[in-house]
mmCIF file of all heavy atoms in Angstrom:
data_model
loop_
_atom_site.group_PDB
_atom_site.id
_atom_site.type_symbol
_atom_site.label_atom_id
_atom_site.label_comp_id
_atom_site.label_asym_id
_atom_site.label_seq_id
_atom_site.Cartn_x
_atom_site.Cartn_y
_atom_site.Cartn_z
ATOM 1 N N LEU A 646 0.828 1.837 13.271
ATOM 2 C CA LEU A 646 1.919 2.410 14.103
ATOM 3 C C LEU A 646 2.573 1.265 14.960
ATOM 4 O O LEU A 646 1.884 0.634 15.744
ATOM 5 C CB LEU A 646 1.447 3.475 14.992
ATOM 6 C CG LEU A 646 1.096 4.823 14.365
ATOM 7 C CD1 LEU A 646 0.588 5.818 15.363
ATOM 8 C CD2 LEU A 646 2.193 5.378 13.547
ATOM 9 N N VAL A 647 3.848 1.072 14.733
ATOM 10 C CA VAL A 647 4.587 0.129 15.524
ATOM 11 C C VAL A 647 4.655 0.531 17.002
ATOM 12 O O VAL A 647 4.872 1.644 17.292
ATOM 13 C CB VAL A 647 6.004 -0.066 15.004
ATOM 14 C CG1 VAL A 647 6.871 -0.998 15.879
ATOM 15 C CG2 VAL A 647 5.972 -0.618 13.555
ATOM 16 N N GLY A 648 4.364 -0.462 17.895
ATOM 17 C CA GLY A 648 4.374 -0.178 19.291
ATOM 18 C C GLY A 648 3.216 0.464 19.915
ATOM 19 O O GLY A 648 3.247 0.878 21.095
ATOM 20 N N LEU A 649 2.161 0.705 19.101
ATOM 21 C CA LEU A 649 1.058 1.405 19.616
ATOM 22 C C LEU A 649 0.161 0.606 20.586
ATOM 23 O O LEU A 649 -0.268 1.092 21.634
ATOM 24 C CB LEU A 649 0.151 1.890 18.413
ATOM 25 C CG LEU A 649 -1.093 2.676 18.780
ATOM 26 C CD1 LEU A 649 -0.824 3.957 19.473
ATOM 27 C CD2 LEU A 649 -1.939 2.923 17.484
ATOM 28 N N VAL A 650 -0.086 -0.661 20.255
ATOM 29 C CA VAL A 650 -0.960 -1.529 21.015
ATOM 30 C C VAL A 650 -0.237 -2.845 21.257
ATOM 31 O O VAL A 650 0.295 -3.449 20.275
ATOM 32 C CB VAL A 650 -2.297 -1.753 20.295
ATOM 33 C CG1 VAL A 650 -3.248 -2.718 21.136
ATOM 34 C CG2 VAL A 650 -3.011 -0.439 20.029
ATOM 35 N N ASP A 651 -0.311 -3.321 22.451
ATOM 36 C CA ASP A 651 0.276 -4.689 22.740
ATOM 37 C C ASP A 651 -0.848 -5.675 22.565
ATOM 38 O O ASP A 651 -1.574 -6.039 23.501
ATOM 39 C CB ASP A 651 0.831 -4.655 24.230
ATOM 40 C CG ASP A 651 1.451 -6.025 24.580
ATOM 41 O OD1 ASP A 651 1.738 -6.850 23.621
ATOM 42 O OD2 ASP A 651 1.722 -6.250 25.755
ATOM 43 N N ASP A 652 -0.903 -6.243 21.371
ATOM 44 C CA ASP A 652 -1.981 -7.170 20.998
ATOM 45 C C ASP A 652 -1.502 -8.027 19.878
ATOM 46 O O ASP A 652 -0.980 -7.557 18.880
ATOM 47 C CB ASP A 652 -3.234 -6.424 20.619
ATOM 48 C CG ASP A 652 -4.388 -7.254 20.204
ATOM 49 O OD1 ASP A 652 -4.454 -7.742 19.065
ATOM 50 O OD2 ASP A 652 -5.257 -7.461 21.138
ATOM 51 N N PRO A 653 -1.674 -9.382 19.945
ATOM 52 C CA PRO A 653 -1.117 -10.286 18.942
ATOM 53 C C PRO A 653 -1.787 -10.117 17.597
ATOM 54 O O PRO A 653 -1.163 -10.180 16.523
ATOM 55 C CB PRO A 653 -1.352 -11.698 19.519
ATOM 56 C CG PRO A 653 -2.366 -11.493 20.589
ATOM 57 C CD PRO A 653 -2.172 -10.153 21.097
ATOM 58 N N LEU A 654 -3.130 -9.843 17.560
ATOM 59 C CA LEU A 654 -3.766 -9.603 16.342
ATOM 60 C C LEU A 654 -3.274 -8.341 15.646
ATOM 61 O O LEU A 654 -3.159 -8.274 14.433
ATOM 62 C CB LEU A 654 -5.313 -9.504 16.502
ATOM 63 C CG LEU A 654 -6.033 -10.839 16.780
ATOM 64 C CD1 LEU A 654 -7.526 -10.588 17.053
ATOM 65 C CD2 LEU A 654 -5.862 -11.844 15.633
ATOM 66 N N PHE A 655 -3.038 -7.334 16.482
ATOM 67 C CA PHE A 655 -2.515 -6.041 15.874
ATOM 68 C C PHE A 655 -1.144 -6.295 15.281
ATOM 69 O O PHE A 655 -0.823 -5.779 14.210
ATOM 70 C CB PHE A 655 -2.467 -4.979 17.024
ATOM 71 C CG PHE A 655 -2.008 -3.662 16.591
ATOM 72 C CD1 PHE A 655 -2.807 -2.856 15.810
ATOM 73 C CD2 PHE A 655 -0.742 -3.195 16.951
ATOM 74 C CE1 PHE A 655 -2.386 -1.619 15.410
ATOM 75 C CE2 PHE A 655 -0.325 -1.890 16.521
ATOM 76 C CZ PHE A 655 -1.161 -1.130 15.781
ATOM 77 N N GLU A 656 -0.285 -6.981 16.028
ATOM 78 C CA GLU A 656 1.078 -7.269 15.548
ATOM 79 C C GLU A 656 1.034 -8.068 14.202
ATOM 80 O O GLU A 656 1.812 -7.823 13.288
ATOM 81 C CB GLU A 656 1.911 -8.041 16.601
ATOM 82 C CG GLU A 656 2.165 -7.237 17.851
ATOM 83 C CD GLU A 656 2.975 -5.986 17.544
ATOM 84 O OE1 GLU A 656 3.852 -6.012 16.642
ATOM 85 O OE2 GLU A 656 2.723 -4.945 18.180
ATOM 86 N N GLU A 657 0.087 -9.048 14.130
ATOM 87 C CA GLU A 657 -0.033 -9.775 12.869
ATOM 88 C C GLU A 657 -0.449 -8.838 11.764
ATOM 89 O O GLU A 657 0.024 -9.007 10.589
ATOM 90 C CB GLU A 657 -1.112 -10.869 13.114
ATOM 91 C CG GLU A 657 -1.424 -11.675 11.882
ATOM 92 C CD GLU A 657 -2.588 -12.632 12.130
ATOM 93 O OE1 GLU A 657 -2.473 -13.446 13.054
ATOM 94 O OE2 GLU A 657 -3.558 -12.596 11.357
ATOM 95 N N TYR A 658 -1.422 -7.978 12.059
ATOM 96 C CA TYR A 658 -1.844 -6.979 11.036
ATOM 97 C C TYR A 658 -0.644 -6.124 10.542
ATOM 98 O O TYR A 658 -0.437 -5.951 9.374
ATOM 99 C CB TYR A 658 -2.967 -6.138 11.572
ATOM 100 C CG TYR A 658 -3.365 -4.981 10.670
ATOM 101 C CD1 TYR A 658 -4.067 -5.186 9.531
ATOM 102 C CD2 TYR A 658 -2.973 -3.666 11.030
ATOM 103 C CE1 TYR A 658 -4.374 -4.101 8.690
ATOM 104 C CE2 TYR A 658 -3.294 -2.631 10.229
ATOM 105 C CZ TYR A 658 -3.960 -2.783 9.079
ATOM 106 O OH TYR A 658 -4.284 -1.731 8.261
ATOM 107 N N LEU A 659 0.078 -5.591 11.474
ATOM 108 C CA LEU A 659 1.233 -4.769 11.128
ATOM 109 C C LEU A 659 2.198 -5.514 10.232
ATOM 110 O O LEU A 659 2.732 -4.976 9.263
ATOM 111 C CB LEU A 659 1.925 -4.223 12.317
ATOM 112 C CG LEU A 659 1.263 -3.203 13.212
ATOM 113 C CD1 LEU A 659 2.149 -2.719 14.345
ATOM 114 C CD2 LEU A 659 0.743 -2.032 12.353
ATOM 115 N N GLY A 660 2.433 -6.775 10.632
ATOM 116 C CA GLY A 660 3.396 -7.580 9.878
ATOM 117 C C GLY A 660 2.988 -7.840 8.427
ATOM 118 O O GLY A 660 3.819 -8.109 7.578
ATOM 119 N N SER A 661 1.614 -7.753 8.165
ATOM 120 C CA SER A 661 1.193 -8.050 6.785
ATOM 121 C C SER A 661 1.270 -6.902 5.927
ATOM 122 O O SER A 661 1.217 -7.007 4.688
ATOM 123 C CB SER A 661 -0.323 -8.520 6.857
ATOM 124 O OG SER A 661 -1.128 -7.429 7.248
ATOM 125 N N LEU A 662 1.379 -5.668 6.430
ATOM 126 C CA LEU A 662 1.347 -4.448 5.631
ATOM 127 C C LEU A 662 2.450 -4.309 4.623
ATOM 128 O O LEU A 662 2.310 -3.953 3.467
ATOM 129 C CB LEU A 662 1.188 -3.216 6.503
ATOM 130 C CG LEU A 662 -0.179 -3.042 7.219
ATOM 131 C CD1 LEU A 662 -0.127 -1.832 8.127
ATOM 132 C CD2 LEU A 662 -1.257 -2.839 6.140
ATOM 133 N N PRO A 663 3.774 -4.470 5.122
ATOM 134 C CA PRO A 663 4.867 -4.302 4.143
ATOM 135 C C PRO A 663 4.726 -5.240 2.905
ATOM 136 O O PRO A 663 4.997 -4.861 1.795
ATOM 137 C CB PRO A 663 6.096 -4.664 4.969
ATOM 138 C CG PRO A 663 5.746 -4.313 6.366
ATOM 139 C CD PRO A 663 4.282 -4.663 6.478
ATOM 140 N N ARG A 664 4.295 -6.511 3.154
ATOM 141 C CA ARG A 664 4.135 -7.458 2.090
ATOM 142 C C ARG A 664 2.982 -7.007 1.146
ATOM 143 O O ARG A 664 3.138 -7.137 -0.110
ATOM 144 C CB ARG A 664 3.740 -8.843 2.672
ATOM 145 C CG ARG A 664 3.571 -9.939 1.700
ATOM 146 C CD ARG A 664 4.958 -10.415 1.133
ATOM 147 N NE ARG A 664 5.232 -9.765 -0.137
ATOM 148 C CZ ARG A 664 6.355 -9.807 -0.792
ATOM 149 N NH1 ARG A 664 7.400 -10.459 -0.268
ATOM 150 N NH2 ARG A 664 6.524 -9.114 -1.947
ATOM 151 N N GLY A 665 1.906 -6.460 1.756
ATOM 152 C CA GLY A 665 0.806 -6.055 0.939
ATOM 153 C C GLY A 665 1.258 -4.827 0.039
ATOM 154 O O GLY A 665 0.865 -4.771 -1.126
ATOM 155 N N ILE A 666 2.041 -3.889 0.555
ATOM 156 C CA ILE A 666 2.505 -2.782 -0.231
ATOM 157 C C ILE A 666 3.446 -3.261 -1.346
ATOM 158 O O ILE A 666 3.275 -2.775 -2.510
ATOM 159 C CB ILE A 666 3.214 -1.751 0.712
ATOM 160 C CG1 ILE A 666 2.247 -1.176 1.747
ATOM 161 C CG2 ILE A 666 3.888 -0.691 -0.079
ATOM 162 C CD1 ILE A 666 2.884 -0.440 2.858
ATOM 163 N N ALA A 667 4.344 -4.096 -0.976
ATOM 164 C CA ALA A 667 5.302 -4.613 -2.027
ATOM 165 C C ALA A 667 4.596 -5.356 -3.085
ATOM 166 O O ALA A 667 4.906 -5.290 -4.294
ATOM 167 C CB ALA A 667 6.299 -5.474 -1.317
ATOM 168 N N ASP A 668 3.606 -6.160 -2.740
ATOM 169 C CA ASP A 668 2.864 -6.967 -3.718
ATOM 170 C C ASP A 668 2.066 -6.054 -4.710
ATOM 171 O O ASP A 668 2.041 -6.321 -5.919
ATOM 172 C CB ASP A 668 1.873 -7.900 -3.088
ATOM 173 C CG ASP A 668 2.584 -9.159 -2.465
ATOM 174 O OD1 ASP A 668 3.787 -9.340 -2.730
ATOM 175 O OD2 ASP A 668 1.977 -9.905 -1.707
ATOM 176 N N ALA A 669 1.498 -4.962 -4.196
ATOM 177 C CA ALA A 669 0.813 -4.013 -5.047
ATOM 178 C C ALA A 669 1.732 -3.379 -6.058
ATOM 179 O O ALA A 669 1.475 -3.317 -7.304
ATOM 180 C CB ALA A 669 0.085 -2.970 -4.256
ATOM 181 N N VAL A 670 2.932 -2.993 -5.647
ATOM 182 C CA VAL A 670 3.930 -2.378 -6.495
ATOM 183 C C VAL A 670 4.484 -3.435 -7.502
ATOM 184 O O VAL A 670 4.617 -3.153 -8.662
ATOM 185 C CB VAL A 670 5.046 -1.680 -5.734
ATOM 186 C CG1 VAL A 670 6.191 -1.193 -6.566
ATOM 187 C CG2 VAL A 670 4.539 -0.535 -4.836
ATOM 188 N N SER A 671 4.790 -4.653 -7.030
ATOM 189 C CA SER A 671 5.236 -5.654 -7.942
ATOM 190 C C SER A 671 4.177 -5.980 -8.999
ATOM 191 O O SER A 671 4.550 -6.191 -10.127
ATOM 192 C CB SER A 671 5.589 -6.922 -7.204
ATOM 193 O OG SER A 671 6.627 -6.748 -6.276
ATOM 194 N N SER A 672 2.958 -5.978 -8.634
ATOM 195 C CA SER A 672 1.892 -6.180 -9.632
ATOM 196 C C SER A 672 1.854 -5.106 -10.702
ATOM 197 O O SER A 672 1.663 -5.353 -11.912
ATOM 198 C CB SER A 672 0.531 -6.310 -8.974
ATOM 199 O OG SER A 672 0.476 -7.408 -8.138
ATOM 200 N N ALA A 673 2.094 -3.830 -10.162
ATOM 201 C CA ALA A 673 2.102 -2.730 -11.175
ATOM 202 C C ALA A 673 3.273 -2.838 -12.095
ATOM 203 O O ALA A 673 3.166 -2.512 -13.297
ATOM 204 C CB ALA A 673 2.163 -1.411 -10.390
ATOM 205 N N VAL A 674 4.464 -3.282 -11.639
ATOM 206 C CA VAL A 674 5.634 -3.501 -12.466
ATOM 207 C C VAL A 674 5.339 -4.523 -13.572
ATOM 208 O O VAL A 674 5.651 -4.389 -14.675
ATOM 209 C CB VAL A 674 6.850 -3.806 -11.642
ATOM 210 C CG1 VAL A 674 8.016 -4.242 -12.590
ATOM 211 C CG2 VAL A 674 7.299 -2.663 -10.774
ATOM 212 N N ALA A 675 4.671 -5.641 -13.122
ATOM 213 C CA ALA A 675 4.340 -6.701 -14.030
ATOM 214 C C ALA A 675 3.345 -6.237 -15.077
ATOM 215 O O ALA A 675 3.274 -6.803 -16.177
ATOM 216 C CB ALA A 675 3.762 -7.880 -13.243
ATOM 217 N N ASP A 676 2.608 -5.181 -14.774
ATOM 218 C CA ASP A 676 1.518 -4.674 -15.636
ATOM 219 C C ASP A 676 2.064 -3.552 -16.571
ATOM 220 O O ASP A 676 1.286 -2.945 -17.345
ATOM 221 C CB ASP A 676 0.324 -4.156 -14.830
ATOM 222 C CG ASP A 676 -0.829 -3.623 -15.603
ATOM 223 O OD1 ASP A 676 -1.333 -4.389 -16.413
ATOM 224 O OD2 ASP A 676 -1.148 -2.469 -15.481
ATOM 225 N N LEU A 677 3.293 -3.150 -16.530
ATOM 226 C CA LEU A 677 3.829 -2.067 -17.299
ATOM 227 C C LEU A 677 3.570 -2.257 -18.761
ATOM 228 O O LEU A 677 3.961 -3.242 -19.383
ATOM 229 C CB LEU A 677 5.354 -1.828 -17.019
ATOM 230 C CG LEU A 677 5.761 -1.178 -15.712
ATOM 231 C CD1 LEU A 677 7.226 -1.291 -15.511
ATOM 232 C CD2 LEU A 677 5.330 0.278 -15.788
ATOM 233 N N ARG A 678 2.880 -1.259 -19.376
ATOM 234 C CA ARG A 678 2.547 -1.280 -20.778
ATOM 235 C C ARG A 678 2.561 0.177 -21.287
ATOM 236 O O ARG A 678 2.438 1.102 -20.563
ATOM 237 C CB ARG A 678 1.152 -1.838 -20.962
ATOM 238 C CG ARG A 678 1.033 -3.304 -20.691
ATOM 239 C CD ARG A 678 -0.464 -3.767 -20.849
ATOM 240 N NE ARG A 678 -0.650 -5.211 -20.732
ATOM 241 C CZ ARG A 678 -0.698 -5.795 -19.550
ATOM 242 N NH1 ARG A 678 -0.684 -5.108 -18.425
ATOM 243 N NH2 ARG A 678 -0.815 -7.098 -19.504
ATOM 244 N N PRO A 679 2.855 0.313 -22.628
ATOM 245 C CA PRO A 679 2.803 1.687 -23.197
ATOM 246 C C PRO A 679 1.522 2.379 -22.851
ATOM 247 O O PRO A 679 0.451 1.832 -22.876
ATOM 248 C CB PRO A 679 2.947 1.387 -24.682
ATOM 249 C CG PRO A 679 3.621 0.093 -24.803
ATOM 250 C CD PRO A 679 3.114 -0.697 -23.634
ATOM 251 N N ALA A 680 1.643 3.667 -22.479
ATOM 252 C CA ALA A 680 0.534 4.480 -22.028
ATOM 253 C C ALA A 680 0.776 5.950 -22.293
ATOM 254 O O ALA A 680 1.790 6.352 -22.681
ATOM 255 C CB ALA A 680 0.266 4.217 -20.526
ATOM 256 N N ALA A 681 -0.285 6.736 -22.100
ATOM 257 C CA ALA A 681 -0.211 8.162 -22.198
ATOM 258 C C ALA A 681 -0.686 8.800 -20.887
ATOM 259 O O ALA A 681 -1.629 8.223 -20.245
ATOM 260 C CB ALA A 681 -0.947 8.674 -23.403
ATOM 261 N N ILE A 682 -0.237 9.991 -20.609
ATOM 262 C CA ILE A 682 -0.577 10.628 -19.360
ATOM 263 C C ILE A 682 -0.925 12.087 -19.510
ATOM 264 O O ILE A 682 -0.408 12.727 -20.485
ATOM 265 C CB ILE A 682 0.613 10.487 -18.337
ATOM 266 C CG1 ILE A 682 0.232 10.977 -16.919
ATOM 267 C CG2 ILE A 682 1.840 11.265 -18.780
ATOM 268 C CD1 ILE A 682 1.245 10.557 -15.885
ATOM 269 N N GLY A 683 -1.777 12.526 -18.662
ATOM 270 C CA GLY A 683 -2.057 14.029 -18.646
ATOM 271 C C GLY A 683 -2.683 14.366 -17.272
ATOM 272 O O GLY A 683 -3.009 13.500 -16.507
ATOM 273 N N TRP A 684 -2.924 15.647 -17.069
ATOM 274 C CA TRP A 684 -3.544 15.954 -15.789
ATOM 275 C C TRP A 684 -4.254 17.398 -15.862
ATOM 276 O O TRP A 684 -3.996 18.136 -16.803
ATOM 277 C CB TRP A 684 -2.470 16.127 -14.643
ATOM 278 C CG TRP A 684 -1.158 16.746 -15.046
ATOM 279 C CD1 TRP A 684 -0.929 18.095 -14.949
ATOM 280 C CD2 TRP A 684 0.007 16.092 -15.446
ATOM 281 N NE1 TRP A 684 0.394 18.286 -15.437
ATOM 282 C CE2 TRP A 684 1.010 17.073 -15.656
ATOM 283 C CE3 TRP A 684 0.352 14.754 -15.686
ATOM 284 C CZ2 TRP A 684 2.266 16.785 -16.114
ATOM 285 C CZ3 TRP A 684 1.664 14.490 -16.095
ATOM 286 C CH2 TRP A 684 2.552 15.492 -16.259
ATOM 287 N N GLY A 685 -5.044 17.599 -14.913
ATOM 288 C CA GLY A 685 -5.805 18.873 -14.833
ATOM 289 C C GLY A 685 -6.419 18.913 -13.413
ATOM 290 O O GLY A 685 -6.224 18.015 -12.603
ATOM 291 N N SER A 686 -7.174 19.990 -13.160
ATOM 292 C CA SER A 686 -7.708 20.181 -11.844
ATOM 293 C C SER A 686 -8.949 21.002 -11.860
ATOM 294 O O SER A 686 -9.288 21.657 -12.837
ATOM 295 C CB SER A 686 -6.688 20.764 -10.846
ATOM 296 O OG SER A 686 -6.468 22.146 -11.163
ATOM 297 N N VAL A 687 -9.683 20.961 -10.747
ATOM 298 C CA VAL A 687 -10.898 21.781 -10.575
ATOM 299 C C VAL A 687 -11.038 22.110 -9.071
ATOM 300 O O VAL A 687 -10.643 21.243 -8.200
ATOM 301 C CB VAL A 687 -12.186 21.080 -11.093
ATOM 302 C CG1 VAL A 687 -12.383 19.781 -10.380
ATOM 303 C CG2 VAL A 687 -13.381 22.020 -10.984
ATOM 304 N N ASP A 688 -11.427 23.299 -8.796
ATOM 305 C CA ASP A 688 -11.659 23.628 -7.333
ATOM 306 C C ASP A 688 -12.981 23.089 -6.902
ATOM 307 O O ASP A 688 -14.017 23.368 -7.547
ATOM 308 C CB ASP A 688 -11.595 25.135 -7.135
ATOM 309 C CG ASP A 688 -10.090 25.593 -7.153
ATOM 310 O OD1 ASP A 688 -9.215 24.836 -7.204
ATOM 311 O OD2 ASP A 688 -9.967 26.837 -7.061
ATOM 312 N N VAL A 689 -13.011 22.388 -5.763
ATOM 313 C CA VAL A 689 -14.256 21.854 -5.151
ATOM 314 C C VAL A 689 -14.227 22.318 -3.701
ATOM 315 O O VAL A 689 -13.786 21.537 -2.804
ATOM 316 C CB VAL A 689 -14.373 20.364 -5.249
ATOM 317 C CG1 VAL A 689 -15.741 19.899 -4.732
ATOM 318 C CG2 VAL A 689 -14.129 19.856 -6.693
#
C-alpha cells in the first residue's frame, strides 16, 4: 500500500513490485506455446 509506512526500505520494496509483476508477465509471453485447457471443481 502506497503511503502506508514512512520507511525507506518499505518504499524500496514498493518500488520493486511493478517491475516484478511486469517481468513475470513478460516471461509468460516469451513462453507462449501451443497448449490445451480445461477446468473442473470440487467442494472442500
Side-chain angles (χ1 to χ4, degrees):
L646 289 180
V647 173
L649 180 62
V650 181
D651 183 11
D652 180 276
L654 287 177
F655 183 73
E656 293 300 322
E657 177 187 303
Y658 169 74
L659 291 185
S661 71
L662 288 175
R664 182 72 266 169
I666 295 167
D668 284 349
V670 174
S671 293
S672 295
V674 171
D676 182 59
L677 281 169
R678 291 177 174 82
I682 190 171
W684 44 84
S686 71
V687 60
D688 282 357
V689 186

